[in-house]
Amino acid sequence: MRQILNIAHYEIVHILKERVLFLMIFFVPLLYASLFGSVYVSAILQHVPLGIVDLDHSQESRAVISAFENTPNFRVIPEVATYADLEAGMKDGKVRAGVVIPKDYAQKLSQHQLTQILTIYDGSNLIYGFNTRKYFQQVLNTFSADHTAAYLSGLGMTQQEIINVMDTVSFSMEVWYNPTFSYATFIFMGLALMIFQQIGILGIGLTVTREKEQNSWLQFLSAAVPSWKIFSGKALPYFIANFFNYGLLMWIAARFVQVKIEGPVALILLLGLLFDLIVVSAGFIISVYTPNSLLVTRYLMLISVPIFVASGYSWPSTHIPAVINRLVQLMPYTWMAEGFRVVTVKNLGFDYIADKIMVLLVMAAVSLFFALTFSKRRKPPAPRGVAVNGSIDYPDKQFLHS
């Protein structure tokens, strides 16, 4: 145990000594979480810039305009008065949606003829498009119902008779788990867990490569210390730091970004511990078998975006090609992200994520086995090159002029 603690102390000294590594482990996760949190802090998209083209200029058309002005979901842009203004606003992004009221709107309305109000929305941004379409339906359905009720009242029908006519067929709608359609609840923790994975792997992934670049890894290989103790000592500081960051990210998400985080705390901690163990073990293995720090960072940069995009977190896995689905199922992030969402957003228990827990357990056991039993046989030194996390000493003159 003393050997493990000595190695852990040695690793902590390096973390504190190397400013970049220290900032990367303790500051970058907070920085990224704060950045993403500030982006998604509004959670619900409201005040969509709306241009209204009134070609009728009647009392009835002004009632339509009032319906859109009296909802917080839209913000009417007064500068838009013509169809050309609407087109120009949509092109430069000042307007994201439009309403065009035909010039014979009041006349057709008085004659009980079919009249149509044209609604337009910008589909180039799917978040704007989805929400705008929903808001249009809400405003126009309410407006249509109010207009129908006013017409029936003008025919002399009582309030109860109007209710009976309009409620011939009724329906109710409920949204479960994310009733406010909060985009922060949908996407933020997926990004936060990706930060946790990438920073966690990168932190420990540079430990052994640093020793190789400083020519000190030979001391670990030749010392009378078993492989499992070397791994345990080097991994312990990063395991603790990662778990601290895991809790910090959740606190930021719940406290400042208003992300929905519910569910059994024990399950949330269990998922974090398993994922942390996989991240630390995998990062150490990568560091052992990668010749230098530059390659470690390259590998992680190459896999980070594909893992997130193909994991099924932001796009349903049922609509991802089967071959890609099978590949991403080999990645722990896929199981961790979905298990975390099931627990925290749906507030479900162990029975609903038992399969994900078992997969993470197997992945943790496999990665831990290879990390604990890495070969201490010395390999030929890698050609000296650019070191991302190398010695703080200046390179010698021979290296500079080679």
Side-chain angles (χ1 to χ4, degrees):
M1 187 63 185
R2 185 172 183 82
Q3 289 177 322
I4 294 176
L5 293 178
N6 285 338
I7 296 174
H9 177 264
Y10 166 84
E11 196 63 35
I12 292 173
V13 170
H14 270 286
I15 293 173
L16 298 176
K17 184 179 179 181
E18 298 183 16
R19 185 179 302 173
V20 174
L21 182 61
F22 176 82
L23 293 176
M24 183 180 69
I25 294 174
F26 292 102
F27 180 71
V28 171
L30 176 62
L31 175 65
Y32 281 10
S34 301
L35 174 62
F36 291 139
S38 62
V39 171
Y40 298 117
V41 69
S42 60
I44 303 171
L45 185 67
Q46 290 185 313
H47 308 294
V48 176
L50 175 70
I52 300 180
V53 179
D54 184 3
L55 301 177
D56 194 50
H57 301 288
S58 63
Q59 183 177 351
E60 289 79 2
S61 65
R62 284 193 292 272
V64 176
I65 297 173
S66 297
F68 284 99
E69 289 177 336
N70 293 330
T71 174
N73 296 326
F74 289 105
R75 176 172 56 87
V76 177
I77 306 299
E79 292 81 9
V80 176
T82 66
Y83 195 84
D85 294 338
L86 179 60
E87 283 186 321
M90 292 283 279
K91 288 178 180 178
D92 61 21
K94 293 180 180 179
V95 175
R96 291 290 184 172
V99 173
V100 180
I101 305 173
K103 61 181 180 180
D104 55 356
Y105 173 75
Q107 179 184 351
K108 286 189 174 182
L109 206 63
S110 63
Q111 297 173 356
H112 311 301
Q113 295 180 4
L114 177 63
T115 181
Q116 291 184 338
I117 296 175
L118 176 62
T119 57
I120 306 166
Y121 62 88
D122 185 353
S124 64
N125 186 311
L126 291 181
I127 304 304
Y128 263 119
F130 169 77
N131 285 278
T132 302
R133 183 176 181 176
K134 179 183 66 174
Y135 296 155
F136 272 146
Q137 291 174 341
Q138 291 173 352
V139 172
L140 294 176
N141 286 343
T142 301
F143 179 80
S144 178
D146 291 343
H147 173 74
T148 303
Y151 172 72
L152 295 177
S153 177
L155 295 178
M157 296 181 66
T158 65
Q159 182 178 4
Q160 187 59 48
E161 289 174 333
I162 293 173
I163 293 174
N164 291 338
V165 170
M166 298 188 66
D167 289 349
T168 303
V169 178
S170 65
F171 69 94
S172 61
M173 181 182 296
E174 294 182 1
V175 180
W176 291 5
Y177 309 128
N178 189 11
T180 61
F181 293 100
S182 169
Y183 195 72
T185 295
F186 166 65
I187 200 70
F188 180 83
M189 285 311 301
L191 294 172
L193 291 174
M194 179 55 66
I195 295 170
F196 175 87
Q197 172 183 280
Q198 296 304 102
I199 298 299
I201 293 180
L202 184 60
I204 192 170
L206 299 178
T207 56
V208 177
T209 55
R210 179 195 64 224
E211 305 292 352
K212 293 176 183 177
E213 292 159 356
Q214 294 179 352
N215 296 319
S216 56
W217 182 232
L218 180 61
Q219 299 178 25
F220 289 92
L221 297 180
S222 59
V225 181
S227 301
W228 69 270
K229 286 189 176 181
I230 295 176
F231 163 72
S232 300
K234 281 194 163 292
L236 184 60
Y238 297 96
F239 181 84
I240 295 173
N242 289 344
F243 199 70
F244 169 79
N245 287 331
Y246 178 71
L248 180 64
L249 291 174
M250 285 195 297
W251 179 72
I252 291 174
R255 179 67 177 81
F256 297 104
V257 193
Q258 306 301 318
V259 173
K260 180 183 179 183
I261 297 182
E262 299 178 353
V265 176
L267 278 182
I268 297 175
L269 294 178
L270 177 61
L271 286 169
L273 287 171
L274 289 175
F275 194 48
D276 190 4
L277 190 59
I278 296 171
V279 165
V280 169
S281 302
F284 183 81
I285 296 170
I286 292 172
S287 190
V288 167
Y289 294 104
T290 304
N292 56 60
S293 301
L294 181 60
L295 287 179
V296 172
T297 56
R298 284 176 175 174
Y299 294 156
L300 290 180
M301 288 177 64
L302 287 174
I303 66 173
S304 59
V305 174
I307 288 177
F308 179 75
V309 171
S311 66
Y313 191 91
S314 61
W315 184 254
S317 58
T318 53
H319 292 66
I320 295 176
V323 174
I324 298 178
N325 258 329
R326 294 190 186 98
L327 289 176
V328 297
Q329 285 177 358
L330 300 175
M331 304 294 177
Y333 175 85
T334 303
W335 301 92
M336 172 63 187
E338 185 57 28
F340 188 89
R341 179 155 58 184
V342 168
V343 173
T344 58
V345 178
K346 291 189 173 183
N347 196 7
L348 300 179
F350 179 81
D351 293 343
Y352 295 90
I353 62 165
D355 58 334
K356 298 169 181 60
I357 293 289
M358 290 305 300
V359 171
L360 290 174
L361 276 171
V362 171
M363 290 182 174
V366 171
S367 58
L368 188 61
F369 170 78
F370 285 106
L372 290 170
T373 60
F374 75 92
S375 175
K376 292 184 66 179
R377 182 181 302 173
R378 186 186 181 191
K379 293 181 174 58
R384 191 170 183 182
V386 179
V388 174
N389 191 31
S391 172
I392 61 174
D393 298 327
Y394 290 102
D396 54 46
K397 293 181 179 179
Q398 181 181 356
F399 174 68
L400 290 174
H401 296 285
S402 60

